[in-house]
Structure formats: C-alpha cells, structure tokens
Amino acid sequence: MSTGKGRERHIPSQFNQGERFAMKEALKVFPTIFKTRFIQHEVIGEYSHLFTVQGSDPSLQPYMLMAHSDVVPAPDEGWEVPPFSGLEHDGFIHGRGTLDNKNSLMAILQALELLLIRNYIPRRSFFIALGHDEEVSGQNGAQKISALLQARGVKLAFIVDEGNFILDGFIPYLKKPFAMIAVSEKGGINLRLQVNMTPGHSSAPPKETSIGILAAAISRLEQTPLPNMFGSGPLKTTLQELANEFPFPANIVLRNLWLFGPLVSRLMERNYITNALVRTTMALTMFNAGVKMNVIPPMAQAIINLRIHPAQTVQEVLELIKNIVADDRVQFHVLTAFDPLPVSPSDHQALGYQLLRQTIQSIFPEVNTIAPGICIGNTDSRHYTNLTTSIYRFNPVYLHPQDFRSIHGINEKISVQAYETQVKFIFEFIQNADTYQEPIPHLHEL
Ligand SMILES: CCCCCCCC/C=C\CCCCCCCC(=O)N[C@@H](CC(C)C)C(=O)O
Ligand SMILES: [Zn+2]
Ligand SMILES: [Zn+2]
C-alpha cells in the first residue's frame, strides 16, 4: 500500500540523548503541543482531554489515537517499589499504569511533541482522546467525547486504542513473539447476586444462612465453566495466521482446525489466559455479608464480572447463569452489561489495520506474524462505534505472561527501552497515516 513516502520528507525516528532523557523524565506538560496553532485542546467531562490536530489536507478522513489516564487501585503489599512512586531502576519504570495505560498516554503526547519540534505538519487530521474514567466505564470521559464528536458530524477512518500487544511466551511451543491486533473485544456483565434472610440470634441458626446459600450458588458457578465456543469469532483466523510459526506437527494441526479444532480448544482451556479466548469467563470479584459475629446475616451479596465470548449475548449468558445457580432465593441484579463488539476489518483495504501492520513491520522487524484477534479485556473504544466501524486495540509493547499478571495486579512496570520504542512507533505511525489511501466503507457482519 502507498505510504506517506509521497510527502516531502519522512522524518527519521532518531532521538538524541537529550531527547531520550527528556522522554524518560517528561512528566511535565508538552509545551510545543500546547502552542501549536493547528492543534486544539479541550477538557471534556472535567478530566478527559481531546486534542484535535488539524491536517493540511482536509479531504483525508481523520483518525483517532486513544489512551486513558486513570488506573485501578494498588495497595503497597507485594510491590517491589511503592506502586505510585514512578521509581526507575534496573532499566524499568515501576508503577501502577505503566502498562495500563499511562505508557500510551505519555507516548502519544511525547511522539507528537517530538514531531512538532521537527516542524512536522500532518497531512491527515487526527484526534487524541485521553479518557479519565476508563477503569470505571468511561461514561464521563470517552462517552462524552464520542457524543461531542458525533454532534460535530465527525466520522473517523479508524481508531487505535489499548487492548492487545506483541505477545511473547503465551502459547506453548511458540518461541517467537507475534503481534495480535484486536479487531473486537468481548462483551461484559457486572452481575450482583444477593440473598436476603431474616436476621436473628446466632445461637439458634437456621439450616442455611444467606452466606451459605450464596456461597453454594457461587461454588456451582465456579465448578461449571460456560460452554467452550471455540470455532466462532476471530480466534480461528488468529491461529491460522500463526500456523507458520509452529513446528511440525503443530503447524499441520493449526492449518486443519476443521479436523483438530476440538483438540486445540481443549488445549487452550487448560491455560487461564487462552481459556479466556474460547469461552465467556466468570470471575467472582467481590463478596460482602454479615453485620456481627453473633447475628444471623440478613443479606449476602456477591459481584461476578463476566466477559462474554463473541458468539454469545448478554441475554444468553444471563440465562445460562440462572440455570446453573438454580435457586430462587438468589436474586440477580445486572449492574452493567454490553454485548461483544462488532469485528473490525483486517483485509488489505482496511486502512487502520494496514497502517498498524506497516508500522509494526518497520519498528519490530523481528516480529514475523501479525494477526487479528480479540481483546479479552474491555476498552473505552467501545464508546466510539458510532464514529467508525474500524476499531483496533493494540499497543506496540512486548507483553509476557508475567507482565499480563501485573496488569491490575502487582509490580506493573515497563522498561525504558520499551517505552522509547512505543514513542518511536507512534512517531512513525502518525507519519504513515499521512498516506493518500482512504478507508473503504466496511459493513459489519450481522
Ligand atoms: C492466541 C493466544 C494469545 C493470548 C492472548 C491474551 C493476552 C492478553 C493480552 C492483553 C489483555 C489485557 C487487556 C488490556 C485492556 C483492558 C484495559 C482494562 O483494564 N479495561 C477495563 C475496562 C472496564 C470496562 C472497566 C477492564 O476491566 O477490562
Ligand atoms: Zn486500560
Ligand atoms: Zn485496566
């Protein structure tokens, strides 16, 4: 595909020592961004930021780069360094948000700053949307930005957000890293289960208390995984793209999933991460009950966080859950719910996907396979389906299984080198997006 090579000059992504030091230390504002006349900055929903970078060719459809500034909590226990210290040692920057997703927020702004310092003027306009409440739904950030852009009549060529990575070490026998660009993401349900009972003196307890009833229901759910849905959704495409990276006979197996699908699906469900690709998952994340040690508990509550496989819907999953619980004393309250997201295009005409592919090949020449896949987590980009049918969840960062465990876990960190490479990727991507190629309208499969 044509690149931005038609432009007067391609700015090489080489940064001097001073710039690299500033990049690492850059917790200050980005002065050049804020004084550039073709960049508009708006604060939305009090704490989210929307940058509009006006390109020189208004005929080119704009795109959007996304990130979020908020993070999940991080108690000190278990952390090598305090989780909000931002300490750098052993070549890593440690802290909550270094992978999810402050790295992307800073890298996007840093890359743009370095481009502007080099007198770069984009041909294709783009937006930078930085949400402040992604980890608690995005309703006051991304959702408001989306509504604002819709009111302005904006349509986007594509969006790039967090969601997947360059994966290394996730699949047995696959020694090489591969880039998985998430072209969809699972649906989600936050479901509260509740049991109410008459309180009383614990010296004369009923046969079952609200805690016991709810615990038994939760245990049934944990002992009854939802159906393995292998074979529907982007996963088969992911594995077929990966086939060439595997030795014999695994490569034959992956090229013949019509025959070996059941075997592969069984192998995938053995590992908790790949299991999340083949089924709707349930995680009991909160349990509250009891008022005092000698009082029969009037109420027990549990929160289950479900991530819905692309082949299922919210309603289908709720039915399955109720059938497993099978106890009328357990009440169900849906707190939040959304269906799996539509699948974005990844064919040769998919501009956003091909630009990501092109830039990955340029910055990560050692990565032989780039495959479409699904994001097992959820992202703010789900709020923008009104502005584009091409949403890609991908951060240009190597991720190993232990790194994945640190996301929302402990000892989250990013190497200085990985962060620099992420800046370099975005620096190149923005220039590559100046191509004259335009997206071909995509109609989602019904
Ligand atoms: C073929 C086998 C490959 C195995 C791939 C799986 C590797 C997993 C890689 C990345 C998943 C991390 C998800 C990161 C994005 C999620 C960000 C987030 O935390 N979002 C919240 C949003 C929610 C609505 C509050 C979430 O809980 O998902
Ligand atoms: Zn995130
Ligand atoms: Zn997160």
Side-chain angles (χ1 to χ4, degrees):
M1 66 171 285
S2 68
T3 68
K5 302 296 182 202
R7 64 177 304 113
E8 303 66 48
R9 64 189 181 101
H10 181 79
I11 304 171
S13 52
Q14 271 94 34
F15 311 128
N16 62 43
Q17 192 58 32
E19 287 172 328
R20 289 179 62 212
F21 179 79
M23 190 189 297
K24 188 183 67 180
E25 303 297 331
L27 293 182
K28 312 165 192 66
V29 293
F30 296 97
T32 317
I33 289 177
F34 285 90
K35 68 184 179 189
T36 297
R37 54 182 168 66
F38 59 80
I39 297 179
Q40 180 193 5
H41 169 241
E42 297 165 88
V43 176
I44 313 291
E46 291 189 83
Y47 305 104
S48 284
H49 296 264
L50 174 65
F51 293 86
T52 304
V53 185
Q54 192 59 51
S56 59
D57 183 345
S59 71
L60 297 175
Q61 193 172 30
Y63 63 97
M64 178 185 277
L65 302 177
M66 289 180 60
H68 65 89
S69 56
D70 62 312
V71 296
V72 296
D76 281 1
E77 291 75 22
W79 282 74
E80 294 161 17
V81 298
F84 293 101
S85 63
L87 262 180
E88 179 199 339
H89 78 88
D90 293 343
F92 284 85
I93 302 167
H94 293 252
R96 172 62 82 223
T98 46
L99 286 175
D100 178 15
N101 175 242
K102 291 179 181 292
N103 56 313
S104 299
L105 183 147
M106 295 301 283
I108 291 168
L109 295 176
Q110 183 66 71
L112 179 56
E113 179 81 6
L114 289 166
L115 279 165
L116 296 171
I117 288 169
R118 290 160 172 76
N119 301 316
Y120 168 73
I121 298 176
R123 189 183 294 145
R124 184 185 296 271
S125 302
F126 61 100
F127 298 92
I128 297 172
L130 308 176
H132 72 276
D133 63 344
E134 188 275 343
E135 297 289 4
V136 285
S137 83
Q139 281 173 350
N140 291 313
Q143 199 163 310
K144 286 187 176 175
I145 292 174
S146 176
L148 175 69
L149 293 179
Q150 177 161 339
R152 292 177 178 171
V154 170
K155 284 295 181 189
L156 297 171
F158 59 87
I159 289 175
V160 179
D161 192 8
E162 66 175 339
N164 233 310
F165 298 84
I166 295 174
L167 303 169
D168 197 4
F170 283 87
I171 309 179
Y173 313 112
L174 180 59
K175 300 288 176 256
K176 293 181 187 169
F178 69 97
M180 184 150 100
I181 300 172
V183 293
S184 179
E185 63 186 64
K186 297 178 87 170
I189 306 174
N190 282 312
L191 180 64
R192 189 176 72 222
L193 275 62
Q194 184 165 322
V195 177
N196 296 318
M197 286 190 84
T198 309
H201 203 291
S202 63
S203 61
K207 186 167 175 293
E208 291 175 287
T209 67
S210 57
I211 295 175
I213 292 165
L214 186 55
I218 295 293
S219 177
R220 285 194 292 278
L221 287 172
E222 289 196 331
Q223 300 308 315
T224 317
L226 295 181
N228 185 321
M229 305 302 289
F230 181 88
S232 41
L235 179 59
K236 273 181 107 170
T237 308
T238 309
L239 295 175
Q240 282 157 353
E241 295 271 348
L242 280 170
N244 294 334
E245 299 288 358
F246 282 83
F248 178 85
N251 57 349
I252 303 302
V253 166
L254 292 178
R255 286 199 197 105
N256 295 278
L257 290 173
W258 59 275
L259 177 60
F260 297 108
L263 167 66
V264 173
S265 70
R266 288 287 165 274
L267 291 173
M268 293 193 78
E269 61 185 5
R270 286 181 183 176
N271 169 289
Y272 79 105
I273 296 179
T274 50
N275 176 61
L277 293 167
V278 300
R279 61 169 30 96
T280 294
T281 56
M282 297 180 274
L284 169 63
T285 53
M286 298 178 79
F287 200 119
N288 298 301
V291 293
K292 199 168 175 301
M293 287 188 286
N294 61 349
V295 174
I296 297 299
M299 188 261 288
Q301 280 186 337
I303 301 289
I304 302 180
N305 180 265
L306 299 109
R307 306 299 171 115
I308 307 174
H309 186 278
Q312 293 179 309
T313 65
V314 167
Q315 289 314 315
E316 288 167 356
V317 170
L318 289 174
E319 271 314 297
L320 290 168
I321 295 295
K322 289 174 182 172
N323 293 338
I324 294 169
V325 167
D327 185 334
D328 294 339
R329 295 170 297 180
V330 178
Q331 301 166 15
F332 295 85
H333 305 272
V334 176
L335 302 176
T336 61
F338 50 90
D339 282 326
L341 276 291
V343 178
S344 300
S346 56
D347 58 54
H348 68 285
Q349 292 181 315
L351 179 61
Y353 188 88
Q354 294 306 327
L355 285 171
L356 283 169
R357 186 184 188 80
Q358 172 193 346
T359 314
I360 293 169
Q361 288 168 337
S362 163
I363 302 293
F364 302 99
E366 75 280 6
V367 173
N368 297 331
T369 299
I370 299 164
I374 186 158
C375 183
I376 59 176
N378 292 111
T379 70
D380 262 352
S381 65
R382 72 182 185 284
H383 293 298
Y384 292 93
T385 52
N386 55 329
L387 302 183
T388 182
T389 55
S390 300
I391 298 178
Y392 304 104
R393 299 93 172 156
F394 177 77
N395 280 160
V397 176
Y398 269 70
L399 192 81
H400 301 90
Q402 63 271 25
D403 304 322
F404 172 70
R405 283 190 289 274
S406 76
I407 295 176
H408 294 199
I410 57 172
N411 296 320
E412 188 176 352
K413 61 181 184 291
I414 188 170
S415 72
V416 172
Q417 189 271 327
Y419 174 64
E420 282 183 13
T421 305
Q422 186 168 10
V423 173
K424 186 180 173 77
F425 182 95
I426 297 163
F427 186 97
E428 296 278 348
F429 183 85
I430 290 172
Q431 295 182 81
N432 290 342
D434 276 343
T435 175
Y436 285 113
Q437 174 149 353
E438 282 294 58
I440 305 297
H442 169 77
L443 294 176
H444 285 313
E445 292 158 28
L446 293 178

